[in-house]
Amino acid sequence: MGHDLYRDLSCAKRLFDEAEAATHLPLRKVCFEGPSEELARTDICQPAIFTVSAATLAAMRDLLSPEQLEKARPAFLAGLSLGEYTALYAGGAVDFQSAVRLVARRGLLMQEAAIAVPSGMVSILGLDQAKAQELCRAASDGQVLVCANFNCPGQIVLSGHLEACRRAEAMAKDFGASGAVPLKVAGAFHSPLMQSAADGLAEALKKVELRRSKTPVISNVTARPHGDPGSIRKLLVDQLTSPVLWQQGCEYLAQNGMDQAVEVGPGRVLAGLMRRINSRIRVTCLNSRQAVEKLGGVAAPHGL
């Protein structure tokens, strides 16, 4: 993950080096060599994914001509959960070292909150919001179980106590779901069980200088653009215990003229979600040096 960028580009190498110095984590080793079990830990994967994404942005500035960069300039920025931090960084709302330290702290806080209570997440397929909430009420049995991610039509992730997630998985088809898939995550992200992490993040954010983004960044909590730094701080804290409105945010972008998008960072998950949200929106995935070099031929995107 990100090895070709680090190997070939001094701008990417510098960011990896800065990230390791700022976080004291072996990010190069886990990104390039694994093992996958270590990389999957939320306290590791969050700063790792953020660093690879930032290195990809740096590669764009290094490899593309000024004319190509201008052609690829986005009208909006957005990111799912952790990706919201990458979007804020891309928009100039926070500098790299502050962002990677903050992301590492966020990952550690979420890991600690997950360890404190047996909890998890389960992806429910084929239900709308009303039915998913009905399933939550039926399966909770006095425990926490909430809709945590509205990813795309027909895919809503539930989050809560582990036993409640298992009950939801068993009951899903009774409510009309086509399937239920337990997620390999440390705990109940974007649920009230993350309150201790939210409290810790609020303290960490007090020490970070934030600015209004130069490009509008969509908040996961409101599915609308972020405002001033005070509002950004509040919404980043709220994000840990609130549902991620990814589908709603993408629909807002489509309503405001987005016809193309660029997915920056490892993988291509967001491109898959966009096909379900609005198949008319073309998504270009930047997950390697080769992909960045090809971007010069892409028309101006209206979202990121």
Side-chain angles (χ1 to χ4, degrees):
M1 188 170 77
H3 184 255
D4 60 335
L5 300 173
Y6 181 86
R7 180 192 62 216
D8 299 339
L9 301 172
S10 60
C11 60
K13 183 178 187 301
R14 184 179 66 253
L15 288 179
F16 271 95
D17 293 345
E18 289 182 11
E20 288 205 348
T23 64
H24 306 292
L25 295 171
L27 298 177
R28 286 171 294 185
K29 183 180 186 301
V30 293
C31 283
F32 307 157
E33 303 173 20
S36 58
E37 295 80 10
E38 185 173 0
L39 183 59
R41 283 172 38 191
T42 193
D43 57 330
I44 298 293
C45 76
Q46 292 197 35
I49 290 173
F50 174 82
T51 300
V52 173
S53 300
T56 307
L57 291 168
M60 290 176 65
R61 294 189 292 269
D62 193 70
L63 295 173
L64 302 184
S65 69
E67 294 77 15
Q68 289 170 332
L69 280 173
E70 183 60 33
K71 199 175 182 181
R73 183 183 298 276
F76 294 93
L77 295 156
L80 198 162
S81 190
L82 165 67
E84 188 170 346
Y85 290 75
T86 308
L88 289 165
Y89 164 70
V94 60
D95 65 79
F96 177 76
Q97 289 194 11
S98 297
V100 76
R101 280 195 295 265
L102 182 63
V103 164
R105 180 63 178 157
R106 178 182 185 263
L108 180 60
L109 289 165
M110 293 172 70
Q111 183 76 19
E112 290 173 346
I115 291 171
V117 179
S119 56
M121 304 179 79
V122 57
S123 180
I124 304 299
L125 308 177
L127 296 188
D128 60 18
Q129 181 174 345
K131 275 291 185 181
Q133 290 173 332
E134 187 179 339
L135 173 59
C136 284
R137 289 191 292 270
S140 61
D141 194 23
Q143 293 183 312
V144 170
L145 187 65
V146 297
C147 295
N149 291 69
F150 295 95
N151 287 338
C152 65
Q155 185 185 119
I156 297 174
V157 178
L158 309 187
S159 182
H161 284 100
L162 188 58
E163 291 179 354
C165 289
R166 288 171 175 165
R167 286 193 293 270
E169 181 186 356
M171 299 167 64
K173 289 191 176 181
D174 294 337
F175 286 78
S178 59
V181 182
L183 302 185
K184 295 180 180 180
V185 295
F189 303 147
H190 306 295
S191 84
L193 295 180
M194 285 290 116
Q195 187 59 55
S196 62
D199 294 341
L201 183 63
E203 291 300 314
L205 277 162
K206 290 178 182 178
K207 304 172 186 175
V208 176
E209 180 183 355
L210 295 177
R211 298 170 290 276
R212 186 183 288 269
S213 179
K214 297 174 185 176
T215 303
V217 175
I218 303 302
S219 163
N220 284 182
V221 174
T222 65
R224 295 294 182 271
H226 275 292
D228 59 51
S231 174
I232 293 173
R233 284 187 176 87
K234 180 182 185 304
L235 289 172
L236 288 179
V237 172
D238 291 348
Q239 191 220 71
L240 287 187
T241 57
S242 302
V244 171
L245 305 181
W246 182 252
Q247 176 184 333
Q248 295 87 333
C250 289
E251 288 170 347
Y252 171 86
L253 293 176
Q255 291 163 7
N256 283 272
M258 181 173 74
D259 55 10
Q260 298 185 58
V262 176
E263 180 177 0
V264 175
R268 46 194 310 120
V269 171
L270 301 185
L273 296 181
M274 186 60 78
R275 283 195 294 271
R276 300 285 301 276
I277 296 169
N278 189 324
S279 61
R280 294 191 300 274
I281 294 173
R282 173 185 171 187
V283 180
T284 301
C285 296
L286 298 188
N287 49 26
S288 67
R289 174 181 176 170
Q290 183 180 22
V292 173
E293 290 172 335
K294 289 182 178 179
L295 183 65
V298 176
H302 292 284
L304 178 62

